[in-house]
């Protein structure tokens, strides 16, 4: 179990490094490609109310309600939801639309969300993938 957690942390670190490198590359070309939001508690979700556009959205931890994110209209690259223990629904993400960026499409990954039973808010016809990795109900 400890080895799996360490491996997952290493994978996350590698993905974060790659995302930062991509963001830096795009920024050097004068493009806005660095809007990342990490939500790890309900207080973080509440504080994010009014956010309208992102490149990356990461949600984990003690989040129970995503409705403060209802003003979020677009996510350009990835939504990653993992390790939530009480989140039952993705209500609040129903207004998110995938925006194609340079031929890339939005990727959604859901992993180890013990109470998650309703993903119907994700109505994104242009998302290239919605991947259920495991540990979701």
């Amino acid at each position: 179990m400890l080895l799996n957690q360490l491996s997952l942390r290493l994978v996350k670190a590698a993905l974060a490094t790659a995302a930062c490198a991509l963001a830096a590359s795009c920024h050097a070309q004068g493009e806005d490609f660095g809007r990342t939001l990490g939500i790890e508690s309900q207080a973080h979700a509440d504080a994010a109310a009014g956010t309208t556009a992102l490149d990356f959205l990461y949600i984990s931890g003690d989040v129970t309600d995503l409705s403060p994110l209802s003003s979020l209209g677009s996510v350009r690259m990835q939504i990653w939801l993992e390790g939530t223990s009480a989140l039952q629904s993705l209500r609040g993400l129903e207004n998110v639309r995938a925006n194609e960026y340079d031929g890339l499409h939005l990727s959604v990954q859901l992993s180890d969300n013990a109470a998650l039973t309703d993903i119907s808010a994700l109505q994104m016809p242009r998302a290239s993938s919605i991947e259920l990795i495991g540990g979701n109900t």
Side-chain angles (χ1 to χ4, degrees), residues 38-114:
I39 295 176
E40 296 180 347
S41 69
Q42 189 58 48
H44 289 163
D46 295 341
T51 301
T52 59
L54 294 168
D55 294 313
F56 299 94
L57 174 60
Y58 176 77
I59 301 167
S60 69
D62 263 347
V63 180
T64 57
D65 177 23
L66 297 178
S67 65
L69 299 177
S70 63
S71 62
L72 186 59
S74 70
V75 176
R76 209 162 28 172
M77 296 299 299
Q78 185 173 47
I79 296 173
W80 191 347
L81 186 89
E82 73 168 344
T84 62
S85 57
L87 186 65
Q88 296 179 1
S89 168
L90 299 184
R91 272 191 312 267
L93 299 181
E94 60 273 354
N95 294 321
V96 173
R97 295 295 174 257
N99 288 338
E100 184 175 326
Y101 177 76
D102 199 22
L104 301 173
H105 293 274
L106 175 67
S107 168
V108 178
Q109 293 184 335
L110 307 174
S111 173
D112 296 320
N113 301 290

Side-chain angles (χ1 to χ4, degrees), residues 5-23 56 78 80 82 109:
Q5 290 175 342
L6 180 59
S7 296
L8 183 58
R9 285 188 182 132
L10 290 173
V11 168
K12 284 185 198 177
L15 288 172
T17 300
C20 288
L22 181 57
F56 299 94
Q78 185 173 47
W80 191 347
E82 73 168 344
Q109 293 184 335

Side-chain angles (χ1 to χ4, degrees), residues 14-33:
L15 288 172
T17 300
C20 288
L22 181 57
S25 169
C26 291
H27 182 70
Q29 298 172 23
E31 299 171 19
D32 178 15
F33 196 81

